[in-house]
Amino acid sequence: MMADARAPAMAVPPTLEAPTGLLADALGRPLHDLRISVTDRCNFRCVYCMPKEVFDKNYPYLPHSSLLSFEEIARVASLFVAHGVEKIRLTGGEPLLRKDLERLVAQLRALPTPSGRPLDLTLTTNGSLLARKARVLKDAGLDRVTVSLDAIDDAVFRRMNDVDFSVADVLNGIEAAQDAGLGPIKVNMVVKGGMNDDQVLPMARHFKGSPTILRFIEYMDVGASNGWNMDEVVPSRELVRRISAEMPLEPVDPNYTGETAARWRYVDGGGEVGMISSVTQAFCQDCSRIRLSTEGKLYTCLFATRGHDLRELLRSGRSDAEMSSAIARMWRQRADRYSETRTLDTAGLGGDPSRRKIEMSYIGG
Ligand code: SAM
Ligand code: SF4
Ligand code: SF4
């Protein structure tokens, strides 16, 4: 059965209360990081994200009229920045499929911040169009990119992306991004047990000693279509053990509170790797991220089943003060900590379609 990525939205009744200012949620977590999905489409069919059988030609992608325009996105982003967001990541789907994305980057770059410090503006991409777009994105004001690459062996990578895209083309994209000044580049590798976990060591060897920081991500139970199974999760501590046996690692202090990746460095000075242990070592207690979907719904957790409809407010003539208050109330009520309560919640979701989790390609990773 086809999984519908989109869930019913919650209306956000605007009230007038203190519109801007630094916010803390119900568990005392600050709002720091906004992820914006600019498209729900992708030119890859990664087996753990948009499996071909579900995301086929009949899949109901959003029509263009549903998408937030760049101007709408920039307006929403400016309200978040006024509330203390210092970091914005563009994602998707594949964000570089969105036409003229550099126009949005330039609009976001121009947003004033309360602290006067420049926004940290980044993008996550599968790298397929990066060689073509790196320079123009940098010129528009993008700071850095994260590139997803799940194997260094071409045959394994082609099986993972399921559209026959080559490793060499992604590596070209990484090099172009590095040359354009979009470094230091992070490379994300999702590890799916039995599918690409034999690539952990080859990937580590490949990027060791380079300016690129490789990060391993535990395969997560996002969405409802990837057929997730705990047996296919390879715990990060197992990856640290495997890598250390050949190339000894030692832990490094986090750069800041709420950093998703635990940092490890090669004892011989060969650089760092990161471990994103979203399944086996949840990091909800410091989670300061909110997500804006392609059609303008706000999700306070990656595993949310319902979003708050900001597009409705945007398109019904609400003032900035009203929108800002709605955002503030939403964040103050937030008590999500799905990864810490995963087992219970997953059991509860059962077959209820109205509580189906949102697809990663829709909400943005
Ligand atoms: N298309 C872009 C890309 O792949 O980088 C951006 C969107 S993608 C949804 C963002 C990140 O989510 C990628 O690094 C991807 O590997 C990761 N991801 C997708 N599905 C995942 C899953 N089930 N578990 C863990 N990570 C996942
Ligand atoms: Fe596309 Fe990224 Fe999902 Fe792969 S992980 S299918 S590249 S959105
Ligand atoms: Fe944040 Fe939700 Fe992920 Fe926990 S499960 S880290 S609250 S997005």
Side-chain angles (χ1 to χ4, degrees):
M1 190 179 62
M2 179 178 296
D4 186 355
R6 297 177 286 281
M10 287 180 274
V12 196
T15 57
L16 278 176
E17 50 158 306
T20 57
L22 297 184
L23 297 175
D25 74 5
L27 302 177
R29 297 169 295 189
L31 172 57
H32 180 259
D33 184 335
L34 171 65
R35 301 200 173 183
I36 302 173
S37 172
V38 294
T39 177
D40 60 337
R41 291 164 196 260
C42 188
N43 52 347
F44 282 17
R45 287 292 175 272
C46 301
V47 290
Y48 51 77
C49 180
M50 297 180 74
K52 251 181 184 159
E53 313 76 60
V54 176
F55 293 86
D56 59 12
K57 62 179 185 347
N58 298 317
Y59 188 80
Y61 293 103
L62 295 168
H64 194 73
S65 58
S66 293
L67 272 52
L68 291 192
S69 67
F70 289 163
E71 287 65 31
E72 287 172 325
I73 294 175
R75 183 174 169 211
V76 171
S78 74
L79 302 175
F80 275 102
V81 170
H83 275 306
V85 160
E86 295 182 338
K87 185 170 176 182
I88 295 183
R89 176 175 297 278
L90 300 178
T91 178
E94 174 45 45
L96 298 187
L97 289 183
R98 180 87 185 246
K99 195 161 172 280
D100 301 330
L101 189 69
E102 58 278 9
R103 273 209 310 113
L104 175 62
V105 170
Q107 289 180 30
L108 296 175
R109 174 48 69 214
L111 295 179
T113 60
S115 68
R117 280 192 299 273
L119 262 183
D120 187 25
L121 205 48
T122 64
L123 172 135
T124 305
T125 172
N126 61 25
S128 58
L129 301 170
L130 199 49
R132 235 179 286 166
K133 298 284 282 189
R135 177 64 58 188
V136 63
L137 289 167
K138 177 69 187 178
D139 290 348
L142 192 70
D143 288 316
R144 277 170 293 107
V145 291
T146 298
V147 182
S148 302
L149 179 65
D150 297 324
I152 203 72
D153 178 272
D154 206 50
V156 179
F157 183 56
R158 285 174 198 260
R159 276 204 296 280
M160 292 296 283
N161 65 55
D162 220 7
V163 293
D164 231 12
F165 203 84
S166 74
V167 170
D169 285 337
V170 179
L171 294 179
N172 281 342
I174 292 175
E175 200 181 317
Q178 191 73 49
D179 291 348
L182 290 169
I185 291 166
K186 291 177 184 153
V187 165
N188 280 352
M189 170 180 176
V190 174
V191 181
K192 187 171 179 202
M195 187 118 198
N196 68 337
D197 60 319
D198 64 341
Q199 290 295 299
V200 169
L201 278 171
M203 285 283 282
R205 287 182 203 121
H206 182 88
F207 288 107
K208 182 169 185 271
S210 80
T212 303
I213 301 166
L214 175 60
R215 304 178 331 157
F216 299 95
I217 307 183
E218 287 178 352
Y219 172 41
M220 287 187 281
D221 53 331
V222 269
S225 26
N226 63 8
W228 183 84
N229 180 335
M230 185 68 201
D231 296 344
E232 292 167 330
V233 177
V234 187
S236 294
R237 68 175 74 83
E238 164 64 12
L239 301 184
V240 170
R241 192 192 62 71
R242 283 192 209 172
I243 298 169
S244 277
E246 178 181 317
M247 299 169 275
L249 288 169
E250 62 188 7
V252 188
D253 288 339
N255 283 316
Y256 55 88
T257 312
E259 194 172 26
T260 47
R263 299 169 62 202
W264 293 80
R265 76 173 149 234
Y266 293 108
V267 174
D268 68 4
E272 276 189 27
V273 292
M275 297 286 164
I276 304 183
S277 318
S278 1
V279 178
T280 62
Q281 295 163 64
F283 37 77
C284 301
Q285 68 190 33
D286 292 322
C287 179
S288 55
R289 289 176 290 282
I290 196 160
R291 292 176 161 86
L292 180 65
S293 81
T294 316
E295 58 176 341
K297 287 186 198 156
L298 271 179
Y299 291 88
T300 54
C301 178
L302 183 55
F303 297 92
T305 51
R306 299 180 81 194
H308 304 264
D309 193 353
L310 267 198
R311 190 186 62 193
E312 158 63 20
L313 298 188
L314 275 168
R315 295 188 181 171
S316 59
R318 305 294 186 172
S319 67
D320 281 357
E322 287 175 307
M323 305 254 310
S324 190
S325 301
I327 289 169
R329 277 184 309 101
M330 220 180 297
W331 189 262
R332 289 189 181 119
Q333 285 166 9
R334 173 187 191 248
D336 305 281
R337 49 189 198 94
Y338 175 83
S339 285
E340 290 177 352
T341 58
R342 165 173 276 110
T343 319
L344 274 176
D345 284 8
T346 306
L349 288 179
D352 178 355
S354 69
R355 295 196 59 216
R356 212 168 256 150
K357 287 177 287 165
I358 306 304
E359 297 299 334
M360 186 81 133
S361 52
Y362 166 80
I363 196 176

